[in-house]
Amino acid sequence: MVGLQKWITGAILVLGCYYLGTWLSSSTGLPLPGALTGLLILLAVLFIVPKAEPLVARAASPLLSHMSVLFVPAVLGVSAYWKEIAQNGWAIGIAIVFTTCISLGISAKIAEKLLASRHGHFSQVPANQEIAEQNTEQQDVKKGSEND
């Protein structure tokens, strides 16, 4: 029963953010689609209230496990416009590669900044190597004190 309550709470949170984003986009004339605005609202909620993440994950898991069914309309759209897609294949391919590289680069920079702010600094040395060096230094100090 508790699992069902958590699932319902997560679903309400996801749907609430979606409908709030849709309402904001349509009422304010934002140039973003309502679904994207709702997704940004959900992202903000998850940053502000980290305890909501398991609830959202529980509600989103069934949708994610059957995501291929959600793409059926897109596949049908591709088949309906295949002639136009074939005529502009190079431009579409370049646009896909270019935007993918840009989005991966931006995502990497954001992740780097988040990790740096979370850990105080962003070290290039792996943590295990730092620990091994500290242990070696401590052993050297012990050996030196034993020789005295």
Side-chain angles (χ1 to χ4, degrees), residues 113-135:
K113 298 271 185 201
L114 287 173
L115 289 173
S117 68
R118 179 176 284 178
H119 297 295
H121 69 286
F122 191 72
S123 175
Q124 297 295 327
V125 180
N128 292 339
Q129 185 177 353
E130 289 178 355
I131 292 170
E133 290 173 0
Q134 290 174 354
N135 290 340

Side-chain angles (χ1 to χ4, degrees), residues 53-88:
E53 187 268 331
L55 302 173
V56 171
R58 183 181 293 257
S61 292
L63 293 173
L64 293 174
S65 64
H66 300 293
M67 191 181 287
S68 60
V69 175
L70 300 174
F71 285 109
V72 169
V75 172
L76 291 176
V78 167
S79 65
Y81 294 103
W82 183 249
K83 184 187 285 187
E84 289 83 2
I85 291 172
Q87 289 173 350
N88 300 310

Side-chain angles (χ1 to χ4, degrees), residues 101-116 122:
C101 291
I102 288 174
S103 64
L104 285 174
I106 291 171
S107 298
K109 282 295 183 185
I110 291 171
E112 184 179 15
K113 298 271 185 201
L114 287 173
L115 289 173
F122 191 72

Side-chain angles (χ1 to χ4, degrees), residues 138-148:
Q138 291 173 354
Q139 290 172 356
D140 291 342
V141 170
K142 286 181 183 177
K143 287 180 185 177
S145 64
E146 289 172 1
N147 292 336
D148 290 339

Side-chain angles (χ1 to χ4, degrees), residues 17-18 34-44:
C17 290
Y18 169 75
L36 180 60
T37 306
L39 188 63
L40 293 173
I41 292 169
L42 181 61
L43 179 66

